[in-house]
């Protein structure tokens, strides 16, 4: 006969032992994980931060492009809405004019023409009136055609304005997404920097400050002349901003991003450049590294997300990245694509 006795429960002492062993194993695993992922060195943190800053700059140029598109769309929508309003006023005037003609025709043509001729004491006068009536009808027909044409134009302009308003809404959404991406990259960079000790952060800041000072005070620019008076004026203007901080989306006069500096500098020389580095790449004649002269634009990276001004002797003047100031730097520190000469 089978036994139905309940199995013996583990004692309290045994349960405590099991829990203690499990906790010890968890501590061991945590210790191993900590040993497997050692704290990043100061050099590794700096490399990661620099990469995040580079990514943020690339996103900034896309943000700048979307912002410029938004500004253009705002202007186009405003112009279309003004045009539609003016067109509606013209249409109302045309309709009022047509109504006046119809009223005049009714008053002069209310009696059958043959009866009017029979009753007229002055047939010649009646014929003159009849001729005027025909002309009035012709004018009415022309007025109707103009009104129909105006209505079609207004409908087309209203549709165009509605489409641009949709584009504007999409662009605003895009701006928000790009801004969020930039802020995310900069936030990640700050988090990495905060993982360092206070002494390590101070050391990195001191190194950056020394790099800014050295790049600005020791740059040997040679004696090359600018290719044009405008390029020379733009370069001279940019030099007055040495030491100004890099701020994403900034166009001066106290802070800049990379394309903000170049567009500001050329604006001082009387030349209006597009807002982004990618657009500025098509603002003039492309040239090779050996053809560069002071004031020429210099494009870097495959996606052309960074731009500066050639300074001479293999140096550029640019707004480098977040955390750095406007300064001179070797053209070889970044992947050179081509130069652009502004006519």
């Amino acid at each position: 006969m089978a036994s139905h006795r309940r199995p013996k429960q583990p004692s309290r002492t045994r349960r405590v032992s099991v829990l203690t062993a499990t906790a010890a194993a968890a501590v061991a695993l945590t210790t191993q994980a900590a040993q497997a992922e050692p704290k990043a060195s100061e050099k590794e943190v700096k490399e990661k931060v620099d990469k995040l800053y580079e990514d943020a700059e690339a996103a900034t140029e896309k943000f700048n492009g979307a912002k410029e598109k938004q500004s253009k769309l705002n202007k186009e929508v405003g112009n279309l809405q003004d045009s539609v309003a003016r067109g509606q006023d013209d249409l109302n005037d045309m309709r009022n004019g047509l109504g006046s003609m119809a009223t005049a025709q009714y008053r002069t043509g209310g009696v059958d023409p043959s009866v009017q001729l029979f009753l007229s004491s002055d047939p010649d006068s009646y014929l003159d009136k009849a001729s005027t009536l025909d002309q009035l009808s012709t004018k009415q027909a022309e007025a109707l055609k103009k009104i129909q044409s105006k209505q079609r134009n207004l409908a087309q302009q209203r549709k165009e304005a509605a489409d641009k308003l949709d584009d504007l809404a999409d662009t605003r959404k895009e701006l928000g997404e790009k801004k969020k991406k930039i802020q995310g990259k900069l936030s990640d960079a700050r988090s990495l920097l905060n993982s360092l000790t206070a002494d390590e952060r101070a050391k990195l800041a001191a190194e950056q400050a020394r790099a800014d000072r050295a790049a600005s005070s020791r740059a040997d620019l040679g004696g090359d002349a600018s290719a044009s008076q405008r390029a020379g004026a733009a370069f001279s203007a940019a030099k007055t901003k040495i030491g100004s901080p890099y701020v994403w989306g900034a166009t001066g006069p106290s802070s800049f991003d990379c394309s903000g500096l170049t567009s500001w500098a050329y604006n001082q020389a009387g030349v209006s450049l597009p807002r982004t580095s990618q657009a500025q790449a098509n603002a003039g004649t492309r040239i090779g590294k050996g053809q560069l002269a002071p004031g020429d634009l210099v494009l870097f990276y495959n996606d052309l997300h960074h731009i500066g001004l050639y300074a001479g002797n293999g140096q550029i003047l640019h707004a480098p990245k977040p955390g750095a100031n406007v300064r001179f730097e070797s053209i070889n520190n970044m992947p050179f694509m081509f130069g652009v000469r502004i006519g």
Side-chain angles (χ1 to χ4, degrees), residues 212-233:
D212 285 338
R213 288 194 300 271
S216 300
S217 61
R218 301 177 189 173
D220 179 8
L221 306 181
D224 294 341
S226 297
S228 69
Q229 186 175 355
R230 286 179 171 177

Side-chain angles (χ1 to χ4, degrees), residues 139-192:
K139 287 181 181 178
Q140 273 187 298
E142 291 175 354
L144 279 169
K145 287 181 181 178
K146 288 181 180 178
I147 288 173
Q148 289 171 343
S149 176
K150 193 71 176 179
Q151 286 174 325
R152 285 194 295 269
N153 288 339
L154 280 175
Q156 183 177 347
Q157 287 181 329
R158 286 192 177 100
K159 183 181 184 306
E160 189 176 349
D163 290 343
K164 287 189 182 297
L165 281 170
D166 288 341
D167 288 345
L168 187 56
D170 291 341
T171 301
R172 283 173 178 158
K173 181 180 178 183
E174 182 185 359
L175 269 175
E177 291 171 351
K178 292 186 185 307
K179 183 177 181 179
K180 186 176 179 181
K181 182 176 181 180
I182 294 165
Q183 291 172 332
K185 296 286 185 184
L186 296 178
S187 177
D188 290 346
R190 283 192 296 271
S191 297
L192 275 171

Side-chain angles (χ1 to χ4, degrees), residues 232-252:
F235 180 52
S236 295
K239 284 193 289 186
T240 68
K241 296 302 175 181
I242 289 173
S244 299
Y246 179 104
V247 174
W248 69 271
T251 57

